[in-house]
Amino acid sequence: MESSEVVLRAIEAFNRRRLTELQGLMCEDIEVWPLRPATHSVYRGRAGIAQWLGDLEHRGRDDRITVEHTRSASGGRIVAMGSVDIGIVNAAFMAVHELRDGLIACIHHYFSDERLLRRICIID
C-alpha cells in the first residue's frame, strides 16, 4: 500500500472511530500531536490512540476530517490538506504524517493552510 493510501485510510478510520483499524495502520510507538488536546498534548503508542479517541468521546467531541488532497514532503512525510469540522466550526486543517515500514509513526495536526506551514518551514 502506498504511503498516501495509508494516511487516507487512517483518517477514514479516525472519522468512523474504528480504533482497531486505526491502530493497525500505526507503529507500536506512534505519536499523535492533536489539534486540540482533549487531555494530553501528545498521545503515545497504540494504547495512546485508544486513550485519544476515548478522551474525544468523553468530552463529547465529534471532530471529522475532510481531505482535499495529499502530497509528499521531505523526509518521506505525507501531508494531508483539507478541513476539519469541530462542532459548528469548519477550519483549514493539515496533518503531517511520518511513516516507517509502511505504518504511521508520527502525526502532527495543524489549524493551518499549506502556505503558512511552508513559510514556517514545517513543510517545503
Side-chain angles (χ1 to χ4, degrees):
M1 182 179 338
E2 291 195 26
S3 297
S4 60
E5 187 178 338
V6 172
V7 167
L8 291 172
R9 285 185 57 195
I11 291 170
E12 182 63 24
F14 168 81
N15 284 343
R16 295 180 184 271
R17 301 305 191 262
R18 293 183 177 160
L19 176 60
T20 302
E21 182 179 348
L22 186 58
Q23 289 172 321
L25 296 166
M26 299 182 169
C27 295
E28 288 186 28
D29 60 342
I30 178 73
E31 287 190 353
V32 176
W33 299 78
L35 282 174
R36 301 179 309 156
T39 59
H40 301 284
S41 59
V42 62
Y43 291 88
R44 290 186 170 90
R46 289 182 178 159
I49 299 304
Q51 183 176 5
W52 177 38
L53 294 186
D55 288 347
L56 289 171
E57 182 179 350
H58 178 73
R59 298 208 185 285
R61 298 213 348 234
D62 191 33
D63 302 4
R64 299 284 181 217
I65 299 166
T66 301
V67 177
E68 294 171 9
H69 63 281
T70 62
R71 75 170 190 79
S72 297
S74 63
R77 296 176 298 164
I78 299 294
V79 181
M81 295 166 264
S83 61
V84 62
D85 289 313
I86 47 176
I88 61 170
V89 176
N90 182 277
F93 169 82
M94 293 187 71
V96 179
H97 301 79
E98 297 175 25
L99 284 86
R100 184 175 65 239
D101 300 325
L103 298 174
I104 300 170
C106 186
I107 308 170
H108 287 264
H109 290 167
Y110 300 94
F111 282 121
S112 186
D113 61 16
E114 186 174 4
R115 185 178 55 225
L116 176 61
L117 290 187
R118 190 177 291 122
R119 218 173 73 218
I120 61 174
C121 300
I122 299 291
I123 60 175
D124 46 292

